[in-house]
Amino acid sequence: LALEVVEAGGEDFDGAVESALDLGARHGSLSQGWAGLETAPGQFRPEPNFLELANAYYPVKGVPIALTIASGDTNVDQRPDDLRDLDWDDPVLAARYRVLRDWAVTQTRDLDVTHVVVGNEVDIFFGSERDGLRDYRRFVTAVVDHARQLWPGATVGTKVSYGGVTGPAADIKLQAEQILKMKKP
């Protein structure tokens, strides 16, 4: 069980993490959008830098992390503005995402990253746009091995909603299963 922790009213972050651990969480979850990290083409100056903050905090607590750097997130295109007109399978997109990951690993060098997530609820993000989902699968395929090199031993993939796997869109379910079954090296 991984929980993305935010403090509730009157609670500090450390107290919220302790509450999550008391509830049975065994992993923390940190989600960041690509555009929020790459503040200009090839430049990474997020304010605040939550990757760096997590790197200082979670190792002290002994909490491993599921790290999401979302390219697409439920209903938000998380790509930087200058990349949003590109098709998802454009090689330029994958190359820039790999550069983002190269930077991200320098910010998370002390974290025990057990899961690396490329996108969140991509079935919702693409909806009935089958071509976009097909192109997105190619994008994930183009970046998954690089992430495994950066975070050896981590499970790498993308998230889909429960409805995307069990709902009426059988072809989305099939494509989601194909993404989830990408073989580890």
Side-chain angles (χ1 to χ4, degrees), residues 79-148:
R79 296 175 292 176
D81 288 339
D82 68 303
L83 299 176
R84 289 195 181 154
D85 290 334
L86 296 178
D87 290 336
W88 280 97
D89 60 351
D90 190 307
V92 170
L93 198 65
R96 281 271 293 276
Y97 192 78
R98 286 190 293 267
V99 171
L100 165 69
R101 295 284 187 175
D102 288 338
W103 172 82
V105 78
T106 69
Q107 305 301 297
T108 60
R109 64 196 162 280
D110 299 321
L111 283 178
D112 178 9
V113 177
T114 58
H115 297 80
V116 177
V117 181
V118 177
N120 182 53
E121 297 181 329
V122 297
D123 59 304
I124 295 170
F125 180 79
F126 287 103
S128 62
E129 186 189 337
R130 305 304 190 253
D131 290 343
L133 188 56
R134 182 201 64 226
D135 293 350
Y136 187 77
R137 183 176 184 272
R138 290 183 187 134
F139 167 74
V140 171
T141 301
V143 300
V144 72
D145 286 339
H146 178 255
R148 287 184 181 131

